[in-house]
């Protein structure tokens, strides 16, 4: 049975592994331009790194304004629940920091994933890095961990 662990830390600590996952998922798989992926915000974020049997397979970040972003899971680990664990860690970190809601910009193909976590989509669909997205929010005053 595979063992999953979520590490939390800063960019200096988790950045090397997180950036490799993001490079593979966003830049290589989804053709996101490098200058759009590396937006300069990582040093001010709290980062989450998912380890599966000790190997980094997923990442996410929480910005100081309670936006969750750069959620990425390597292809070999998708469908294992790692994305849910990363999101739960980021949501709990936001709650612990005193935020009453979290927000994210979701790729349209992932809307159902975030909706299962309680996020609500709003606004019109828009293009970001050539990929359709929608804004989503989750109230932390109504959210109960699963």
């Amino acid at each position: 049975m595979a063992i999953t662990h979520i590490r939390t830390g800063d960019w200096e600590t988790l950045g090397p592994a997180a950036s490799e996952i993001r490079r593979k998922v966003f830049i290589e798989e989804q053709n996101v331009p490098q200058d759009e992926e590396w937006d300069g915000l990582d040093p001010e974020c709290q980062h989450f790194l998912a380890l599966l049997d000790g190997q980094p397979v997923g990442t996410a970040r929480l910005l100081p304004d309670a936006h969750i972003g750069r959620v990425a899971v390597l292809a070999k680990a998708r469908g294992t629940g790692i994305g849910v664990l990363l999101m739960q860690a980021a949501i709990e970190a936001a709650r612990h920091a005193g935020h009453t809601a979290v927000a994210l910009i979701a790729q349209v193909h992932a809307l159902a994933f975030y909706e299962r976590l309680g996020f609500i989509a709003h606004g019109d669909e828009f293009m970001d890095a050539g990929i359709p997205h929608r804004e989503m929010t989750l109230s932390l005053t109504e959210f109960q961990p699963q």
Side-chain angles (χ1 to χ4, degrees), residues 41-107:
L41 299 176
D42 288 311
E44 62 191 72
C45 296
Q46 183 175 2
H47 293 270
F48 306 89
L49 185 69
L51 303 168
L52 183 62
D53 290 333
Q55 298 300 309
V57 295
T59 189
R61 73 180 186 185
L62 176 65
L63 284 89
D65 67 357
H67 273 76
I68 297 171
R70 302 304 197 264
V71 180
V73 176
L74 294 178
K76 66 181 180 184
R78 291 181 196 144
T80 64
I82 285 175
V84 171
L85 293 174
L86 283 164
M87 288 300 299
Q88 288 173 336
I91 291 165
E92 285 307 309
R95 179 183 280 118
H96 184 73
H99 296 288
T100 58
V102 290
L104 56 80
I105 297 173
Q107 294 181 4

Side-chain angles (χ1 to χ4, degrees), residues 19-34 37 74 78:
S19 62
E20 182 62 14
I21 293 165
R22 286 167 45 185
R23 183 187 62 75
K24 287 179 180 174
V25 172
F26 297 126
I27 296 170
E28 291 180 12
E29 287 181 29
Q30 298 182 352
N31 297 311
V32 172
Q34 286 191 49
E37 176 55 32
L74 294 178
R78 291 181 196 144

